[in-house]
Amino acid sequence: SYCYTPETSRDRQGQDLTFEAFRFRALELKSQGARNLNLITPSHYFRALEPWLRDLKTELEVPVILKVTGYESIAQIRRMAGV
């Protein structure tokens, strides 16, 4: 319901993705030269995203960057670092 980009939060241009759609987009970005997968403030959706990232980790072969807020618990940071 909230995103830093007005196109996503205000203009409702974001969309829900299945794992296969997420996987396709991530691999497509990699094939276009992306050097990382950068997720902005993923704390509120990380629990749902974590198994997807674990499944995609070996296939993606680029770093996953999680830009966090600083309000995450130590346990949450450790969990995120495991991915």
Side-chain angles (χ1 to χ4, degrees):
S1 63
Y2 175 79
C3 183
Y4 286 110
T5 59
E7 298 81 10
T8 303
S9 61
R10 185 189 64 224
D11 300 339
R12 304 283 186 211
Q13 292 181 17
Q15 58 185 257
D16 293 335
L17 296 176
T18 63
F19 171 70
E20 283 307 313
F22 177 80
R23 179 183 167 277
F24 176 80
R25 288 218 176 137
L27 294 173
E28 183 178 44
L29 289 170
K30 177 187 167 193
S31 73
Q32 293 172 358
R35 295 184 193 170
N36 62 64
L37 178 61
N38 192 330
L39 304 174
I40 308 295
T41 7
S43 301
H44 61 290
Y45 60 88
F46 184 76
R47 188 176 300 268
L49 192 60
E50 181 180 13
W52 293 8
L53 292 172
R54 288 189 187 283
D55 287 347
L56 190 56
K57 193 174 186 176
T58 57
E59 192 174 8
L60 189 57
E61 298 175 333
V62 297
V64 175
I65 297 172
L66 305 174
K67 291 187 178 180
V68 297
T69 65
Y71 291 99
E72 292 77 12
S73 67
I74 299 286
Q76 176 75 348
I77 295 294
R78 285 187 179 131
R79 187 176 188 137
M80 290 174 157
V83 174

Coordinates of all heavy atoms in Angstrom, one line a residue:
S1 N 0.8 -1.2 0.0 CA 0.0 0.0 0.0 C 0.8 1.3 0.0 O 0.3 2.3 -0.1 CB -0.9 0.0 1.2 OG -0.2 0.0 2.4
Y2 N 2.1 1.1 0.2 CA 3.0 2.3 0.2 C 4.3 2.0 -0.5 O 4.8 0.9 -0.4 CB 3.4 2.7 1.6 CG 4.4 3.8 1.7 CD1 4.0 5.1 1.4 CD2 5.7 3.6 1.9 CE1 4.9 6.2 1.4 CE2 6.6 4.6 1.8 CZ 6.2 5.9 1.6 OH 7.1 6.9 1.6
C3 N 4.8 2.9 -1.2 CA 6.1 2.8 -1.9 C 6.7 4.2 -2.1 O 5.9 5.2 -2.1 CB 5.9 2.1 -3.3 SG 7.5 1.9 -4.1
Y4 N 8.0 4.2 -2.1 CA 8.7 5.5 -2.3 C 8.4 6.2 -3.6 O 8.4 7.4 -3.7 CB 10.2 5.4 -2.1 CG 10.6 5.1 -0.7 CD1 11.1 3.9 -0.3 CD2 10.5 6.1 0.2 CE1 11.5 3.7 1.0 CE2 10.9 5.9 1.5 CZ 11.4 4.7 1.9 OH 11.8 4.5 3.2
T5 N 8.1 5.4 -4.6 CA 7.8 6.0 -5.9 C 6.3 6.3 -6.1 O 5.5 5.5 -5.9 CB 8.2 5.0 -7.0 OG1 7.5 3.8 -6.9 CG2 9.7 4.7 -7.0
P6 N 6.0 7.5 -6.4 CA 4.6 7.9 -6.6 C 3.9 7.1 -7.6 O 2.7 6.9 -7.5 CB 4.7 9.4 -7.0 CG 6.1 9.7 -7.2 CD 7.0 8.6 -6.7
E7 N 4.6 6.6 -8.6 CA 4.0 5.8 -9.7 C 3.4 4.6 -9.1 O 2.3 4.1 -9.5 CB 4.9 5.5 -10.8 CG 5.5 6.6 -11.5 CD 6.7 7.3 -10.8 OE1 7.2 6.8 -9.8 OE2 7.1 8.4 -11.3
T8 N 4.0 4.0 -8.1 CA 3.5 2.8 -7.5 C 2.5 3.0 -6.4 O 1.5 2.4 -6.4 CB 4.7 2.0 -6.9 OG1 5.7 1.8 -7.9 CG2 4.3 0.7 -6.3
S9 N 2.8 4.0 -5.5 CA 1.9 4.2 -4.4 C 0.7 5.0 -4.7 O -0.4 4.7 -4.4 CB 2.7 4.8 -3.2 OG 3.2 6.0 -3.5
R10 N 0.9 6.1 -5.4 CA -0.2 7.0 -5.7 C -0.9 6.7 -6.9 O -2.2 6.7 -7.0 CB 0.3 8.5 -5.8 CG -0.8 9.5 -5.9 CD -0.2 10.9 -6.2 NE 0.5 10.8 -7.5 CZ 1.7 11.4 -7.8 NH1 2.3 12.1 -6.9 NH2 2.2 11.3 -9.0
D11 N -0.2 6.4 -8.0 CA -0.8 6.1 -9.3 C -1.2 4.6 -9.5 O -1.7 4.3 -10.6 CB 0.1 6.6 -10.4 CG 0.4 8.0 -10.3 OD1 -0.3 8.8 -9.7 OD2 1.5 8.5 -10.9
R12 N -0.9 3.8 -8.5 CA -1.3 2.4 -8.5 C -0.7 1.6 -9.8 O -1.4 0.8 -10.4 CB -2.8 2.2 -8.5 CG -3.4 2.9 -7.3 CD -3.2 2.1 -6.1 NE -4.0 2.6 -5.0 CZ -3.6 2.6 -3.7 NH1 -2.5 1.9 -3.4 NH2 -4.3 3.1 -2.8
Q13 N 0.5 1.9 -10.2 CA 1.1 1.3 -11.3 C 1.8 0.0 -10.9 O 2.3 -0.7 -11.8 CB 2.0 2.2 -12.0 CG 1.3 3.3 -12.7 CD 2.3 4.2 -13.5 OE1 3.4 3.9 -13.7 NE2 1.8 5.4 -13.8
G14 N 1.9 -0.3 -9.6 CA 2.5 -1.6 -9.2 C 1.5 -2.7 -9.5 O 0.4 -2.6 -9.8
Q15 N 2.1 -4.0 -9.3 CA 1.2 -5.1 -9.5 C 1.7 -6.3 -8.7 O 2.9 -6.4 -8.3 CB 1.2 -5.5 -11.0 CG 2.6 -5.8 -11.6 CD 2.6 -6.1 -13.1 OE1 2.6 -7.2 -13.5 NE2 2.4 -5.0 -13.8
D16 N 0.8 -7.2 -8.4 CA 1.1 -8.4 -7.7 C 1.8 -9.3 -8.6 O 1.4 -9.4 -9.8 CB -0.1 -9.1 -7.1 CG -0.8 -8.2 -6.0 OD1 -0.1 -7.4 -5.3 OD2 -2.0 -8.4 -5.7
L17 N 2.8 -10.1 -8.1 CA 3.5 -11.1 -9.0 C 3.4 -12.5 -8.4 O 3.6 -12.6 -7.2 CB 4.9 -10.7 -9.2 CG 5.2 -9.3 -9.8 CD1 6.7 -9.1 -9.8 CD2 4.7 -9.3 -11.3
T18 N 3.3 -13.4 -9.3 CA 3.4 -14.8 -8.9 C 4.9 -15.1 -8.8 O 5.7 -14.3 -9.3 CB 2.8 -15.8 -9.9 OG1 3.5 -15.6 -11.1 CG2 1.3 -15.5 -10.1
F19 N 5.4 -16.2 -8.3 CA 6.8 -16.5 -8.2 C 7.3 -16.6 -9.7 O 8.4 -16.1 -10.0 CB 7.1 -17.8 -7.5 CG 8.5 -18.3 -7.7 CD1 9.5 -17.6 -7.1 CD2 8.8 -19.4 -8.5 CE1 10.9 -18.0 -7.3 CE2 10.1 -19.7 -8.7 CZ 11.1 -19.0 -8.1
E20 N 6.6 -17.2 -10.6 CA 7.1 -17.4 -11.9 C 7.3 -16.0 -12.6 O 8.2 -15.8 -13.3 CB 6.2 -18.3 -12.8 CG 6.4 -19.7 -12.5 CD 7.9 -20.2 -12.6 OE1 8.6 -19.8 -13.6 OE2 8.4 -20.8 -11.6
A21 N 6.3 -15.1 -12.4 CA 6.5 -13.7 -13.0 C 7.6 -13.0 -12.3 O 8.4 -12.3 -13.0 CB 5.2 -12.9 -12.7
F22 N 7.8 -13.1 -11.0 CA 9.0 -12.5 -10.3 C 10.3 -13.1 -10.9 O 11.2 -12.3 -11.2 CB 8.9 -12.7 -8.8 CG 10.0 -12.2 -8.0 CD1 10.1 -10.9 -7.7 CD2 11.0 -13.0 -7.6 CE1 11.1 -10.4 -7.0 CE2 12.1 -12.6 -6.9 CZ 12.1 -11.2 -6.6
R23 N 10.3 -14.4 -11.0 CA 11.5 -15.1 -11.5 C 11.8 -14.6 -12.9 O 13.0 -14.3 -13.2 CB 11.3 -16.6 -11.5 CG 12.4 -17.4 -12.0 CD 12.0 -18.9 -12.0 NE 13.0 -19.6 -12.8 CZ 12.9 -19.8 -14.1 NH1 12.0 -19.2 -14.8 NH2 13.9 -20.4 -14.8
F24 N 10.8 -14.6 -13.8 CA 11.0 -14.1 -15.2 C 11.6 -12.7 -15.2 O 12.5 -12.4 -15.9 CB 9.7 -14.2 -15.9 CG 9.8 -13.7 -17.3 CD1 10.3 -14.5 -18.3 CD2 9.4 -12.4 -17.6 CE1 10.4 -14.0 -19.6 CE2 9.5 -11.9 -18.9 CZ 10.0 -12.7 -19.9
R25 N 11.0 -11.8 -14.4 CA 11.4 -10.4 -14.4 C 12.9 -10.3 -13.9 O 13.7 -9.5 -14.5 CB 10.5 -9.6 -13.6 CG 9.2 -9.4 -14.3 CD 8.7 -8.0 -14.1 NE 7.5 -7.8 -14.8 CZ 6.4 -7.2 -14.3 NH1 6.4 -6.7 -13.1 NH2 5.3 -7.0 -15.1
A26 N 13.2 -11.0 -12.9 CA 14.5 -11.0 -12.3 C 15.6 -11.5 -13.3 O 16.6 -10.8 -13.5 CB 14.6 -11.8 -11.0
L27 N 15.3 -12.6 -14.0 CA 16.2 -13.1 -14.9 C 16.3 -12.3 -16.2 O 17.3 -12.2 -16.8 CB 15.8 -14.6 -15.3 CG 16.0 -15.6 -14.1 CD1 15.4 -16.9 -14.5 CD2 17.4 -15.7 -13.7
E28 N 15.1 -11.7 -16.6 CA 15.1 -10.8 -17.7 C 16.0 -9.5 -17.4 O 16.8 -9.1 -18.3 CB 13.7 -10.3 -18.0 CG 13.5 -9.4 -19.2 CD 12.1 -9.0 -19.4 OE1 11.4 -8.7 -18.5 OE2 11.7 -9.1 -20.6
L29 N 15.9 -9.0 -16.2 CA 16.8 -7.9 -15.9 C 18.2 -8.3 -15.9 O 19.1 -7.5 -16.4 CB 16.4 -7.3 -14.5 CG 15.1 -6.6 -14.4 CD1 14.7 -6.4 -12.9 CD2 15.1 -5.3 -15.1
K30 N 18.5 -9.5 -15.4 CA 19.9 -9.9 -15.4 C 20.4 -10.0 -16.9 O 21.5 -9.6 -17.2 CB 20.0 -11.3 -14.8 CG 21.4 -11.9 -14.8 CD 21.4 -13.3 -14.3 CE 22.7 -14.0 -14.6 NZ 22.7 -15.4 -14.4
S31 N 19.6 -10.6 -17.8 CA 20.0 -10.7 -19.2 C 20.2 -9.4 -19.9 O 20.9 -9.3 -20.9 CB 19.0 -11.6 -19.9 OG 17.8 -10.9 -20.2
Q32 N 19.5 -8.3 -19.3 CA 19.7 -7.0 -19.9 C 20.9 -6.3 -19.3 O 21.1 -5.1 -19.6 CB 18.4 -6.2 -19.7 CG 17.2 -6.7 -20.4 CD 15.9 -6.0 -20.1 OE1 15.9 -5.2 -19.2 NE2 14.8 -6.4 -20.7
G33 N 21.6 -6.9 -18.4 CA 22.8 -6.4 -17.9 C 22.7 -5.9 -16.4 O 23.7 -5.3 -15.9
A34 N 21.6 -6.2 -15.7 CA 21.5 -5.8 -14.3 C 22.6 -6.5 -13.5 O 22.9 -7.6 -13.7 CB 20.2 -6.2 -13.8
R35 N 23.2 -5.7 -12.6 CA 24.3 -6.3 -11.8 C 23.8 -6.7 -10.4 O 24.6 -7.3 -9.7 CB 25.4 -5.2 -11.7 CG 26.1 -4.9 -13.0 CD 27.2 -4.0 -12.8 NE 27.7 -3.4 -14.1 CZ 28.5 -2.5 -14.2 NH1 29.0 -1.9 -13.1 NH2 28.8 -2.0 -15.4
N36 N 22.6 -6.4 -10.1 CA 22.0 -6.8 -8.8 C 20.5 -6.7 -8.9 O 20.0 -6.1 -9.8 CB 22.6 -5.9 -7.7 CG 22.2 -4.5 -7.8 OD1 21.1 -4.1 -7.8 ND2 23.2 -3.6 -7.9
L37 N 19.9 -7.3 -7.9 CA 18.5 -7.2 -7.7 C 18.3 -6.4 -6.4 O 18.7 -6.8 -5.4 CB 17.8 -8.6 -7.5 CG 16.3 -8.6 -7.3 CD1 15.6 -8.0 -8.5 CD2 15.8 -10.0 -7.1
N38 N 17.8 -5.2 -6.6 CA 17.7 -4.2 -5.5 C 16.3 -4.0 -5.0 O 15.4 -3.6 -5.7 CB 18.2 -2.9 -6.0 CG 18.5 -1.9 -5.0 OD1 17.9 -1.9 -3.9 ND2 19.5 -1.0 -5.2
L39 N 16.1 -4.4 -3.7 CA 14.7 -4.3 -3.1 C 14.7 -3.2 -2.1 O 15.5 -3.2 -1.2 CB 14.4 -5.7 -2.5 CG 14.4 -6.9 -3.5 CD1 14.2 -8.2 -2.7 CD2 13.4 -6.7 -4.6
I40 N 13.8 -2.3 -2.2 CA 13.8 -1.1 -1.4 C 12.8 -1.4 -0.2 O 11.6 -1.8 -0.5 CB 13.3 0.1 -2.1 CG1 14.2 0.4 -3.4 CG2 13.3 1.4 -1.2 CD1 15.6 0.6 -3.1
T41 N 13.2 -1.2 1.0 CA 12.4 -1.4 2.2 C 11.6 -2.7 2.1 O 10.3 -2.6 2.2 CB 11.5 -0.2 2.5 OG1 11.5 0.7 1.5 CG2 11.8 0.4 3.8
P42 N 12.2 -3.8 2.0 CA 11.5 -5.1 1.8 C 11.0 -5.7 3.1 O 10.4 -6.8 3.1 CB 12.5 -6.0 1.2 CG 13.8 -5.6 1.8 CD 13.6 -4.1 2.0
S43 N 11.2 -5.1 4.3 CA 10.9 -5.7 5.5 C 9.4 -6.2 5.6 O 9.1 -7.3 6.1 CB 11.2 -4.8 6.7 OG 12.5 -4.4 6.7
H44 N 8.5 -5.4 5.2 CA 7.1 -5.8 5.3 C 6.6 -6.9 4.4 O 5.6 -7.5 4.6 CB 6.2 -4.5 5.2 CG 6.3 -3.9 3.8 ND1 7.4 -3.2 3.4 CD2 5.4 -3.8 2.8 CE1 7.2 -2.7 2.2 NE2 6.0 -3.1 1.8
Y45 N 7.4 -7.2 3.4 CA 7.0 -8.3 2.5 C 8.1 -9.4 2.4 O 8.0 -10.3 1.6 CB 6.7 -7.8 1.1 CG 7.8 -7.0 0.3 CD1 8.7 -7.7 -0.5 CD2 7.8 -5.7 0.4 CE1 9.7 -7.0 -1.1 CE2 8.8 -5.0 -0.3 CZ 9.7 -5.7 -1.1 OH 10.7 -5.0 -1.7
F46 N 9.1 -9.2 3.2 CA 10.3 -10.2 3.1 C 9.9 -11.6 3.4 O 10.3 -12.6 2.8 CB 11.4 -9.8 4.0 CG 12.6 -10.7 3.9 CD1 13.4 -10.5 2.8 CD2 12.9 -11.6 4.9 CE1 14.5 -11.4 2.7 CE2 14.0 -12.5 4.7 CZ 14.8 -12.4 3.6
R47 N 9.0 -11.8 4.4 CA 8.6 -13.2 4.8 C 8.0 -13.9 3.6 O 8.2 -15.1 3.4 CB 7.6 -13.1 5.9 CG 7.2 -14.5 6.5 CD 6.3 -14.4 7.7 NE 6.9 -13.7 8.8 CZ 7.6 -14.2 9.8 NH1 7.8 -15.5 9.8 NH2 8.1 -13.5 10.7
A48 N 7.2 -13.2 2.8 CA 6.6 -13.8 1.6 C 7.7 -14.0 0.5 O 7.6 -15.0 -0.3 CB 5.4 -13.0 1.1
L49 N 8.6 -13.1 0.4 CA 9.6 -13.1 -0.7 C 10.8 -14.0 -0.4 O 11.4 -14.5 -1.3 CB 10.1 -11.7 -0.8 CG 10.9 -11.3 -2.1 CD1 10.1 -11.6 -3.3 CD2 11.4 -9.9 -2.0
E50 N 11.0 -14.3 0.9 CA 12.2 -15.1 1.2 C 12.3 -16.4 0.5 O 13.4 -16.7 -0.1 CB 12.2 -15.3 2.8 CG 13.4 -16.1 3.2 CD 13.4 -16.3 4.7 OE1 12.4 -16.0 5.4 OE2 14.5 -16.7 5.2
P51 N 11.2 -17.3 0.5 CA 11.4 -18.5 -0.2 C 11.6 -18.3 -1.7 O 12.4 -19.1 -2.3 CB 10.1 -19.3 0.0 CG 9.2 -18.3 0.7 CD 10.0 -17.1 1.1
W52 N 11.1 -17.3 -2.3 CA 11.3 -17.0 -3.7 C 12.8 -16.7 -4.0 O 13.4 -17.2 -4.9 CB 10.5 -15.9 -4.2 CG 9.0 -16.1 -4.2 CD1 8.3 -17.2 -3.7 CD2 8.0 -15.2 -4.7 NE1 7.0 -17.1 -3.9 CE2 6.8 -15.9 -4.5 CE3 8.1 -14.0 -5.3 CZ2 5.6 -15.3 -4.9 CZ3 6.9 -13.4 -5.7 CH2 5.6 -14.1 -5.5
L53 N 13.4 -15.9 -3.1 CA 14.8 -15.5 -3.2 C 15.7 -16.7 -3.0 O 16.7 -16.8 -3.7 CB 15.1 -14.4 -2.3 CG 14.5 -13.0 -2.5 CD1 14.7 -12.1 -1.4 CD2 14.9 -12.4 -3.9
R54 N 15.3 -17.6 -2.1 CA 16.1 -18.8 -1.9 C 16.1 -19.7 -3.1 O 17.1 -20.2 -3.5 CB 15.7 -19.5 -0.6 CG 16.0 -18.8 0.7 CD 15.7 -19.6 1.9 NE 15.9 -18.9 3.1 CZ 17.1 -18.6 3.6 NH1 18.2 -19.0 3.1 NH2 17.2 -17.9 4.8
D55 N 14.9 -19.8 -3.7 CA 14.8 -20.7 -4.9 C 15.5 -20.1 -6.1 O 16.0 -20.8 -6.9 CB 13.3 -20.9 -5.2 CG 12.6 -21.8 -4.3 OD1 13.2 -22.5 -3.5 OD2 11.3 -21.8 -4.4
L56 N 15.6 -18.8 -6.2 CA 16.1 -18.1 -7.3 C 17.6 -17.8 -7.2 O 18.3 -17.6 -8.1 CB 15.4 -16.8 -7.5 CG 15.6 -16.0 -8.7 CD1 15.3 -16.8 -10.0 CD2 14.7 -14.7 -8.7
K57 N 18.2 -18.0 -6.0 CA 19.5 -17.6 -5.6 C 20.6 -18.1 -6.6 O 21.4 -17.4 -7.1 CB 19.8 -18.0 -4.2 CG 21.1 -17.4 -3.6 CD 21.2 -17.8 -2.1 CE 22.3 -17.1 -1.5 NZ 22.4 -17.4 -0.1
T58 N 20.6 -19.4 -6.8 CA 21.6 -20.0 -7.7 C 21.4 -19.7 -9.2 O 22.4 -19.5 -9.9 CB 21.7 -21.5 -7.5 OG1 20.4 -22.1 -7.8 CG2 22.1 -21.9 -6.1
E59 N 20.2 -19.5 -9.5 CA 19.9 -19.2 -10.9 C 20.1 -17.8 -11.3 O 20.6 -17.4 -12.4 CB 18.4 -19.6 -11.2 CG 18.0 -19.6 -12.6 CD 16.6 -20.0 -12.8 OE1 15.8 -20.2 -11.9 OE2 16.2 -20.2 -14.0
L60 N 19.9 -16.9 -10.3 CA 20.1 -15.4 -10.6 C 21.5 -15.0 -10.7 O 21.9 -14.3 -11.6 CB 19.3 -14.7 -9.5 CG 19.2 -13.2 -9.7 CD1 18.5 -12.9 -11.0 CD2 18.5 -12.5 -8.5
E61 N 22.4 -15.5 -9.8 CA 23.8 -15.3 -9.9 C 24.2 -13.8 -9.8 O 25.3 -13.5 -10.4 CB 24.4 -16.0 -11.1 CG 24.3 -17.5 -11.1 CD 24.8 -18.1 -12.4 OE1 24.8 -17.5 -13.4 OE2 25.2 -19.3 -12.3
V62 N 23.4 -13.0 -9.3 CA 23.8 -11.6 -9.0 C 23.4 -11.3 -7.6 O 22.5 -11.9 -7.0 CB 23.1 -10.6 -10.0 CG1 23.5 -10.8 -11.4 CG2 21.6 -10.6 -9.9
P63 N 24.0 -10.3 -7.0 CA 23.7 -10.0 -5.6 C 22.3 -9.5 -5.4 O 21.8 -8.8 -6.3 CB 24.7 -8.9 -5.2 CG 25.8 -9.0 -6.2 CD 25.2 -9.5 -7.5
V64 N 21.7 -9.8 -4.3 CA 20.4 -9.3 -3.9 C 20.7 -8.2 -2.9 O 21.3 -8.5 -1.9 CB 19.4 -10.3 -3.4 CG1 18.1 -9.7 -2.9 CG2 19.1 -11.4 -4.5
I65 N 20.3 -7.0 -3.1 CA 20.5 -5.9 -2.2 C 19.2 -5.5 -1.6 O 18.2 -5.3 -2.2 CB 21.1 -4.7 -2.9 CG1 22.4 -5.0 -3.5 CG2 21.2 -3.5 -2.0 CD1 23.0 -4.0 -4.4
L66 N 19.2 -5.5 -0.2 CA 18.0 -5.2 0.5 C 18.3 -3.8 1.2 O 19.1 -3.8 2.1 CB 17.7 -6.2 1.6 CG 17.5 -7.7 1.0 CD1 17.3 -8.6 2.2 CD2 16.4 -7.7 0.1
K67 N 17.7 -2.8 0.8 CA 17.8 -1.5 1.5 C 16.8 -1.4 2.6 O 15.6 -1.3 2.3 CB 17.6 -0.4 0.5 CG 18.7 -0.3 -0.6 CD 18.6 1.0 -1.4 CE 19.8 1.0 -2.4 NZ 19.7 2.2 -3.2
V68 N 17.3 -1.5 3.8 CA 16.4 -1.6 5.0 C 16.3 -0.2 5.6 O 17.1 0.7 5.4 CB 16.9 -2.7 5.9 CG1 16.8 -4.0 5.3 CG2 18.3 -2.4 6.5
T69 N 15.3 -0.1 6.6 CA 15.0 1.2 7.2 C 15.9 1.5 8.4 O 16.0 2.6 8.8 CB 13.6 1.2 7.6 OG1 13.4 0.3 8.6 CG2 12.7 1.0 6.4
G70 N 16.4 0.5 9.1 CA 17.1 0.7 10.3 C 16.2 0.3 11.5 O 16.6 0.4 12.7
Y71 N 14.9 0.0 11.3 CA 14.0 -0.4 12.3 C 13.8 -1.9 12.5 O 13.1 -2.4 13.3 CB 12.6 0.3 12.1 CG 12.6 1.8 12.3 CD1 12.7 2.6 11.2 CD2 12.6 2.3 13.6 CE1 12.7 4.0 11.4 CE2 12.6 3.7 13.8 CZ 12.7 4.5 12.7 OH 12.7 5.9 12.8
E72 N 14.6 -2.6 11.6 CA 14.5 -4.1 11.7 C 15.2 -4.6 12.9 O 16.2 -4.0 13.4 CB 15.1 -4.7 10.4 CG 14.4 -4.4 9.1 CD 14.6 -3.0 8.6 OE1 15.5 -2.3 9.1 OE2 13.8 -2.7 7.7
S73 N 14.7 -5.7 13.4 CA 15.3 -6.3 14.6 C 16.6 -7.0 14.1 O 16.8 -7.3 12.9 CB 14.4 -7.4 15.2 OG 14.2 -8.5 14.3
I74 N 17.4 -7.4 15.1 CA 18.7 -8.1 14.8 C 18.3 -9.4 14.1 O 18.9 -9.9 13.1 CB 19.5 -8.3 16.0 CG1 19.9 -7.0 16.6 CG2 20.7 -9.2 15.8 CD1 21.0 -6.3 15.9
A75 N 17.3 -10.1 14.6 CA 16.9 -11.4 14.1 C 16.4 -11.2 12.6 O 16.7 -12.1 11.8 CB 15.7 -12.0 14.9
Q76 N 15.7 -10.2 12.3 CA 15.2 -9.9 11.0 C 16.4 -9.7 10.0 O 16.5 -10.2 8.9 CB 14.3 -8.7 10.9 CG 13.8 -8.4 9.5 CD 12.8 -9.3 8.9 OE1 12.6 -10.4 9.4 NE2 12.2 -8.9 7.8
I77 N 17.4 -8.9 10.5 CA 18.6 -8.6 9.7 C 19.3 -9.9 9.4 O 19.8 -10.1 8.3 CB 19.5 -7.6 10.4 CG1 18.8 -6.2 10.5 CG2 20.8 -7.4 9.7 CD1 18.5 -5.5 9.1
R78 N 19.5 -10.7 10.4 CA 20.2 -12.0 10.2 C 19.4 -12.9 9.2 O 20.1 -13.5 8.4 CB 20.3 -12.7 11.6 CG 21.4 -12.1 12.4 CD 21.6 -12.9 13.7 NE 22.7 -12.3 14.4 CZ 22.6 -12.0 15.7 NH1 21.6 -12.4 16.4 NH2 23.6 -11.4 16.3
R79 N 18.1 -12.9 9.3 CA 17.3 -13.7 8.4 C 17.5 -13.2 7.0 O 17.7 -14.0 6.0 CB 15.9 -13.6 8.8 CG 15.0 -14.5 8.0 CD 13.6 -14.5 8.6 NE 12.8 -15.5 7.9 CZ 12.0 -16.3 8.5 NH1 11.8 -16.2 9.8 NH2 11.3 -17.2 7.9
M80 N 17.5 -11.9 6.8 CA 17.7 -11.3 5.5 C 19.1 -11.6 5.0 O 19.3 -11.8 3.8 CB 17.4 -9.8 5.5 CG 16.0 -9.4 5.7 SD 15.9 -7.6 6.0 CE 14.2 -7.4 5.5
A81 N 20.1 -11.5 5.8 CA 21.5 -11.7 5.4 C 21.7 -13.2 5.0 O 22.5 -13.4 4.1 CB 22.4 -11.4 6.6
G82 N 20.8 -14.1 5.4 CA 20.9 -15.5 5.0 C 20.5 -15.7 3.6 O 20.8 -16.7 3.0
V83 N 19.8 -14.8 3.0 CA 19.4 -14.9 1.6 C 20.4 -14.2 0.7 O 20.7 -14.6 -0.3 CB 18.0 -14.2 1.4 CG1 17.6 -14.2 0.0 CG2 16.9 -15.0 2.2

